[in-house]
Amino acid sequence: VHQSKLDFFCKLGYGKQDICKVLESLGQEALEDDVLKELIRMGSKPQALESQAQPSPLKLVARGSCGASLGSKWLGEDEGDSLDHLRPIVIDGSNVAMSHGNKEVFSCWGIQLAVDWFRERGHTYIKVFVPLWRKEPPRQDSPIADQHILEELEKQSILVYTPSRKVKGKRVVCYDDRYIVKVAYEKDGVIVSNDHYRDLQNENPEWKWFIEQRLLMYSFVSNRFMPPDDPLGRHGPTLNNFLSKQPVPPEPKWQPCPYGKKCTYGNKCKFYHPERLHQAQLSVADELRAKIKVPLRLGKEEEQCNRSP
């Protein structure tokens, strides 16, 4: 009984010495309420209340930023990434390099052009995934151009090699597309590739939605990296909104009415009428009825005034 009561009040935060003193004075068979009253009378406080009573140096933190800063520290990210308003960029290095090399040469310069384009826009988190065997010297069946660019990007912590090895003379390559989609999904970023990743879409329904909504396709025009201005089609977001964590809603654009002042649709017209800004948008029939009713009412009021004397 003594141990059970001791454990109970210890869980409430009271010290063992105070609890033992009260139990000795009241007896082992004392009720829990009596023990609690005696502890309060003695001035004993739970440890949680004592820690709250002691003033601790506090720092002013912006609302909503506390959890994000702690999460970024646990994930090992820089503080600048959490404050960045642009989405992280994950580039399919093999797709970009082969596209720049016209599907004949692995052109590392194409990867550099894509990285530079996103750097100029202000993106701080840029990752490029390339298979490890691209480090090997170029062969006739797999030519590589400007291979030194891969070394420079690796030193800048931008390029990431996906694992590969040789088993009995055969190359075993890990699926780099899964790395690309997984990292972009976890970072809530954008995938830069002309590949649709259909096999991965069928593998995971969450990845399917993510690939459909966050895949940024591109073109190379005269050694210039050019993504589309409307990544998700004519009715989708602009490129700036697509690459931003906080998209800005576009301003409504009103198409002027082709009939102008001659329009007979009134308030049912779906087009913009600048001359009706400060007027009630009534149909032509309603306007005529309103004009007819006004003189009739004036005539009736004059008749009543003449009859009243």
Side-chain angles (χ1 to χ4, degrees), residues 202-215:
N202 298 328
E203 182 178 316
N204 191 333
E206 294 181 359
W207 286 5
K208 175 179 173 59
W209 178 91
F210 183 80
I211 293 168
E212 290 175 351
Q213 299 297 322
R214 295 289 177 80
L215 183 65

Side-chain angles (χ1 to χ4, degrees), residues 36 44 69 72 88 91 126 146 156 168 212 220 229 236 262:
L36 186 60
S44 178
S69 61
S72 62
I91 300 175
I126 304 173
D146 302 313
Q156 299 170 15
K168 297 180 180 180
E212 290 175 351
F220 282 104
D229 293 332
K262 297 180 181 180

Side-chain angles (χ1 to χ4, degrees), residues 103-162:
K103 298 182 180 180
E104 296 178 357
V105 181
F106 189 91
S107 177
C108 303
W109 189 24
I111 298 175
Q112 185 68 58
L113 291 172
V115 171
D116 291 342
W117 190 88
F118 288 105
R119 271 178 173 171
E120 291 174 359
R121 290 194 81 259
H123 292 267
T124 56
Y125 186 93
I126 304 173
K127 294 296 179 184
V128 182
F129 285 88
V130 173
L132 183 63
W133 62 272
R134 291 293 182 182
K135 264 188 172 183
E136 301 174 3
R139 298 182 303 178
Q140 189 174 1
D141 58 340
S142 59
I144 302 175
D146 302 313
Q147 197 171 11
H148 64 280
I149 293 176
L150 299 181
E151 299 177 3
E152 295 174 2
L153 292 176
E154 186 181 12
K155 291 178 182 177
Q156 299 170 15
S157 300
I158 294 176
L159 185 73
V160 178
Y161 287 106
T162 57

